[in-house]
Amino acid sequence: MVETMKIDIVSVFPEYFEALNVGLFGKAIERGLLDVKTHDLRDWTHDVHHSVDDTPVGGGAGMVMKPEVWAECLDDLLGLKPVEINDEDNPATFATTHQVADRPVLIFPNPSAPLFTQRDATELSHTSHLLFGCGRYEGYDARIPRYYRAQGVDVREYSIGDYVLNGGEVAVSVMLEAITRLMPGFMGNPDSIVEESYTGQNALLEHYQYTKPAVWRGMGVPDVLTSGDHGKVDRFRRDEAIAHTAQLRPDLIQQLDCKSLDKADRKTLMSLGWEVSGPHPRKLDD
Ligand code: ADE
């Protein structure tokens, strides 16, 4: 019996998510691993124009998504009744601690929220029900996440990167793909996940990959990869991963736990100008 993950996505452009029916994600739906439902937020409006937004209180450019419409929709999808809450007990903050239990997780993409990482994707891949709310325009009324948090819902707000998109749809697709591919049974070969960048505690960028032919348009592959010596191949790839990460993402090197580095890792890092005797590597010329 497969464990099905229920996924609800609310958007004013639900047709955007038709693309989810292709590739591995589509196959996971066919196999019953994922039960995906998209919803048009405008179905919860009552006015002739089906309005979902209004001008910002306090002035400013753009429009903000209205709490009433979102709440009618989310109450329906979460099976909750409307209540009045004590506003003073529920300050406007981004939640920073979470506990995944067998309860729905409500996720709002938001460019001003904490960054979504592989760690979040891994944690959320064990959830049984994810509900995504896609904002548009200048975003959604800040009371919406606060209200549902106060109702005991596990509410998350995530940014997928330091840039601003037109709406949350692309961000939801990114998060969905990152989360669901980590579900047991999603991938044909789960080993490929273990070797990837950003996986595990000691995240490094990946080494370069090559396939056949060994020489293509005059360009060869590193000799060690065709040597058949698995130990040497592993070492070469690990050193390449360390060197890439040190060059492109020194912030990830700084987070490594020195205790988990072997002698050869330390030697490679030292040759690149890192000091490895403390709890975490430190760039010497910093
Ligand atoms: N909505 C608009 N830009 C976004 C971003 N960078 N991350 C998440 N949601 C967004």
Side-chain angles (χ1 to χ4, degrees):
M1 250 284 284
V2 289
E3 282 277 344
T4 304
M5 183 192 280
K6 213 175 141 204
I7 297 167
D8 285 293
I9 307 170
V10 183
S11 163
V12 286
F13 297 119
E15 63 279 14
Y16 178 91
F17 295 96
E18 278 160 24
L20 290 178
N21 291 323
V22 302
L24 281 177
F25 197 93
K27 285 213 175 69
I29 296 173
E30 272 170 32
R31 286 189 293 138
L33 196 59
L34 304 175
D35 170 15
V36 185
K37 289 197 178 67
T38 51
H39 310 271
D40 187 341
L41 180 64
R42 294 192 202 277
D43 289 348
W44 281 271
T45 57
H46 302 290
D47 61 319
V48 279
H49 301 295
H50 301 289
S51 5
V52 293
D53 57 350
D54 207 337
T55 53
V57 176
M63 300 291 270
V64 178
M65 293 187 108
K66 291 151 75 75
E68 308 96 307
V69 180
W70 269 107
E72 281 201 33
C73 164
L74 295 173
D75 284 350
D76 272 358
L77 297 179
L78 292 164
L80 295 174
K81 292 226 166 357
V83 292
E84 294 290 313
I85 64 168
N86 183 347
D87 204 24
E88 274 160 30
D89 294 344
N90 299 285
T93 56
F94 286 111
T96 49
T97 53
H98 307 291
Q99 203 192 353
V100 168
D102 214 14
R103 57 178 174 144
V105 180
L106 175 58
I107 301 174
F108 292 102
N110 179 341
S112 305
L115 211 55
F116 179 78
T117 66
Q118 187 73 12
R119 188 185 297 257
D120 300 303
T122 307
E123 186 205 2
L124 292 166
S125 69
H126 301 289
T127 316
S128 55
H129 185 186
L130 295 178
L131 207 163
F132 291 94
C134 303
R136 279 264 145 188
Y137 321 112
E138 288 305 305
Y140 45 84
D141 190 301
R143 290 169 293 184
I144 304 169
R146 270 163 65 197
Y147 175 87
Y148 286 96
R149 219 165 265 141
Q151 299 308 296
V153 178
D154 183 347
V155 185
R156 320 276 181 106
E157 291 168 282
Y158 290 119
S159 165
I160 61 157
D162 293 341
Y163 37 77
V164 180
L165 305 164
N166 288 335
E169 285 76 8
V170 172
V172 166
S173 305
V174 168
M175 290 190 267
L176 257 185
E177 190 156 320
I179 294 166
T180 52
R181 67 196 293 283
L182 297 173
M183 289 172 70
F186 186 93
M187 293 286 247
N189 175 12
D191 290 350
S192 55
I193 289 179
V194 176
E195 287 169 14
E196 282 171 337
S197 303
Y198 303 114
T199 310
Q201 272 197 321
N202 283 302
L204 292 174
L205 304 187
E206 246 194 301
H207 55 80
Y208 287 128
Q209 296 279 12
Y210 304 94
T211 183
K212 292 178 266 301
V215 180
W216 170 75
R217 296 195 174 177
M219 300 166 79
V221 300
D223 287 342
V224 59
L225 298 181
T226 52
S227 69
D229 183 332
H230 296 301
K232 279 201 180 138
V233 169
D234 286 350
R235 189 64 249 164
F236 175 81
R237 287 179 163 166
R238 175 93 181 152
D239 285 342
E240 210 171 52
I242 292 173
H244 285 175
T245 315
Q247 187 195 353
L248 301 173
R249 293 291 305 274
D251 57 307
L252 293 177
I253 298 282
Q254 277 161 9
Q255 290 168 41
L256 294 176
D257 176 0
C258 281
K259 283 206 288 300
S260 70
L261 300 172
D262 67 18
K263 230 169 127 186
D265 292 340
R266 287 162 200 256
K267 206 172 141 202
T268 306
L269 275 171
M270 286 188 311
S271 75
L272 296 167
W274 290 79
E275 197 242 334
V276 288
S277 53
H280 304 285
R282 197 172 61 87
K283 190 80 171 86
L284 278 176
D285 46 337
D286 278 354

